[in-house]
Amino acid sequence: MTTTPATPNTPAEPPLVSVIIPNYNYARTLRLCLESVRAQTYPNIEVIVVDDRSTDDSVAIAHEYGADVTVTPENIGAPAARNLGAERAGGEVLFFLDSDVALAPDAVAGAAALLTGDPSVGGVCGTYDAEPLIRDSLVEEVRSLQLYAWIHGGQGDISTVYTALFAVRRDVWEEVGGFDPALRHSENADYGHRLSARYRIVLTEAVHGRHDHDDTLRVLISKMFHRARMHMPLYLRRPDFSGGPSNGLRGWATLAALGAVLTAPLAALAGLWALLLPVLLVVLSVVFDGGMYRMVLRRKGLWFCGYFTAVWFLVNVTVALAVFAGLAQWLLSARFRHTYDAPLAAPARSA
């Protein structure tokens, strides 16, 4: 009897991952971003850069690295740029990466493994490293360490998404729809709200990278105010939403900081003893988020920890004011109350 030699099993090609990079005037970091994508251990990647009418050298840099480049007809904002990139993408996995982030070499592989290994997982978010991509100021170091502490400490199932490092399966994207282009400050919350109603969203350090954070106090405070205010309709609807009132002690830290500012004038009216109350509230604001401050102290020492505490106290006061501004707007504006009501239709996939 003649025996036919067995044909060796050929391993299936891993699914194509489309790395989608929205960009606006980030030539300074885009090169580092694209270099990190080129260095990925995952073997099957396409790179799509959607340039939102940059006035710097971004487009030339994207072409230099062989990316599929689309230039928008006008400035449309990051959410719409991400949607446009998804329309052009051919991958089974869409990996959204901001142009001011440089990935760790195994980040795409980590995201693809999670998304293809468990059908209940619809989205994967990555964490930021403790060190910024480009160190420009002490404020940037503060922001970098704060985000590292908060995001790294929140690993597991979440209900929001971090769009700077976010991967989603193509079939899930088509089911849930794209980002709301009208929400430039809170599209992540809106998308997480819709996605988490149907699938798990996993935050994991298996996907991580370095981020070029805001480097001035003015920009940081402005961004924190607008984001906190815009999130209020969703927090009021879903108290368990990631980053909202469910972060109990962290929320109290914010309120304690504002309380310290509001009670400090009592000293002028009631004597120095009245300073005990604002001092106590400042201490409580630190204690309520003590893990973050201890991490900063271990990494950076006493002097920097003092600077960090002062900056983050100002941010906490700003966020508390934003919460009350959002509450007032929620009471007075029906349109604001319904910001997150209308789900988007699923995006059409380009031919």
Side-chain angles (χ1 to χ4, degrees), residues 230-265:
M230 285 299 301
H231 280 61
M232 285 311 297
L234 193 51
Y235 290 155
L236 291 170
R237 176 182 302 177
R238 289 185 61 177
D240 63 331
F241 195 76
S242 300
S246 62
N247 296 104
L249 291 181
R250 190 166 291 155
W252 285 112
T254 299
L255 292 176
L258 179 60
V261 171
L262 295 177
T263 57

Side-chain angles (χ1 to χ4, degrees), residues 208-330:
H208 66 100
R210 289 195 175 192
H211 191 288
D212 188 42
H213 300 282
D214 302 317
D215 57 11
T216 67
L217 188 58
R218 179 186 62 82
V219 172
L220 175 59
I221 285 180
S222 174
K223 185 177 289 187
M224 295 295 289
F225 180 88
H226 288 298
R227 287 182 176 176
R229 179 182 62 84
M230 285 299 301
H231 280 61
M232 285 311 297
L234 193 51
Y235 290 155
L236 291 170
R237 176 182 302 177
R238 289 185 61 177
D240 63 331
F241 195 76
S242 300
S246 62
N247 296 104
L249 291 181
R250 190 166 291 155
W252 285 112
T254 299
L255 292 176
L258 179 60
V261 171
L262 295 177
T263 57
L266 288 176
L269 300 174
L272 291 178
W273 65 268
L275 281 175
L276 292 175
L277 179 56
V279 169
L280 175 62
L281 289 170
V282 170
V283 171
L284 288 174
S285 181
V286 174
V287 169
F288 287 145
D289 209 355
M292 176 178 70
Y293 294 99
R294 288 192 294 272
M295 181 272 293
V296 173
L297 181 62
R298 287 195 306 270
R299 284 178 171 268
K300 304 292 287 187
L302 185 61
W303 181 90
F304 184 89
C305 188
Y307 176 81
F308 180 100
T309 302
V311 170
W312 205 249
F313 177 82
L314 291 175
V315 173
N316 271 330
V317 172
T318 299
V319 170
L321 290 172
V323 167
F324 286 107
L327 286 172
Q329 191 172 358
W330 185 87

Side-chain angles (χ1 to χ4, degrees), residues 329-339 341:
Q329 191 172 358
W330 185 87
L331 290 170
L332 297 173
S333 170
R335 181 177 180 181
F336 186 69
R337 284 196 296 274
H338 298 293
T339 298
D341 278 4

Side-chain angles (χ1 to χ4, degrees), residues 46 86 125 142 163 169 173 181 201 207 213 257 303-304 324 334 338 343:
E46 67 172 2
C125 294
V142 168
T163 51
R169 291 202 314 272
W173 172 264
I201 306 171
V207 181
H213 300 282
W303 181 90
F304 184 89
F324 286 107
H338 298 293

Side-chain angles (χ1 to χ4, degrees), residues 16-20 46 48 68 82-95 170 174 349-350:
L16 177 65
V17 175
S18 300
V19 177
I20 299 167
E46 67 172 2
I48 297 169
D68 177 346
R82 294 187 186 102
N83 292 345
L84 183 58
E87 290 178 12
R88 295 189 60 86
E92 297 175 51
V93 172
L94 308 179
F95 192 118
R170 162 67 75 177
E174 293 182 344
R349 185 174 181 179
S350 59

